[in-house]
Amino acid sequence: MTDELPVGTDVVGRVTGRALGWLHRNRPYGAFPAPETADVADPDGYYKSLGETALAASLLLREGSVPPPGHEQAARELLDFAWAQLRQGDLLYERQLRHPLMADPLELYAHFTRGGHRHERLDALLVHLSGLRTHQGAELVPNRRLAVANAARIAGFAGPGGFAGGADWSGLLAATWLGRLPEPWAIDWMTAYCMTHTVFHVTDWGGLPHALPGDVVAYLECWLPVWIDIWSEIEEWDLVVELLIVDACLPRPGHHLDVWERLAAVQHADGLVPRDGKPVDDEPEQAFRDHQHTAVVTVVAGTLAQARSGDASPR
């Protein structure tokens, strides 16, 4: 694959293509320093960034008709790179085996299964764990319970007695901040991130745009543009892009092309999308560590926006 990915002619396609190219070229910075010594108890570290890369790649592959030529190849290479770093799933298996109450091995694994990767021993382990009372009673915040339920749905463990346990999606949603249709002015930075993930998991990252109840949809249609304006004004670009993903998960996306124009203006020539208005570190590896998540969510937002482009006129 060449360094310069083909990009679309519209602003969403340009920003998305450049962010994907930046992720693809800089993927070696996301590798384990030495896979054979990877800490399977590390709560974040390299597992989190590899899982985020797999998420973006798997969604781009799911919406395969959207990207211009070259983007699908880049997504496949990113997904395969992350899978290889996890030793074709062995590290996820070891992590889940040694720490059975951890939910993230399943959450990460779901992105790879969407792209066609399976791990036989991890499949068997997850089936076993899903039937244990200890796992079903794991202490998780409400939006993480939705994350586990959606991961089980994606990966095929959502039957009766499974992780999702024939998930009561209405009940799971009602337990979240968003599900209570709260006072919109009370939202803070962390709650905003939790709210976005509630939408992501209920709708399976925009794959089920009609899964949200009508009252939640109406609430988001009213207040999402306000939140986007607020966090755009203070240049919290990572959160702004997550809010754009929420928009793309709605039955009638607003698209917010003016916000995409602002993202195009702050995006660097090499494709890096800054997480906020602060200076970007000149050291490439540190820049990757700081801004990899923003590139991931930009690819997700752009992919879903293009896939849903015919569903509504821009607001």
Side-chain angles (χ1 to χ4, degrees), residues 55 59 62-63 114 143 146-147 149-151 153-154 169-170 172-173 178 195-214 216-217 220 242 244-253 300 304 308:
L55 164 67
L59 291 176
R62 186 186 74 182
E63 309 292 347
R114 191 184 350 244
N143 77 85
L146 282 167
N150 190 47
R153 178 167 61 182
I154 297 166
W169 291 95
S170 295
L172 290 171
L173 174 59
L178 175 62
M195 180 278 298
T196 65
H197 283 67
T198 294
V199 175
F200 301 161
H201 301 313
V202 172
T203 66
D204 185 19
W205 298 91
L208 302 167
H210 296 284
L212 289 169
V216 174
V217 171
L220 289 171
E242 291 225 0
L244 289 176
I245 300 175
V246 171
D247 178 68
C249 292
L250 296 178
R252 296 183 300 110
V300 172
L304 297 182
R308 305 292 312 287

Side-chain angles (χ1 to χ4, degrees), residues 225-237 240 243 259 262 276-277:
V226 178
W227 296 333
I228 290 174
D229 285 347
I230 289 170
W231 273 293
S232 294
E233 183 177 346
I234 60 174
E235 299 185 310
E236 285 285 348
W237 301 119
V240 168
L243 295 171
V259 182
R262 293 193 66 179
D276 52 36

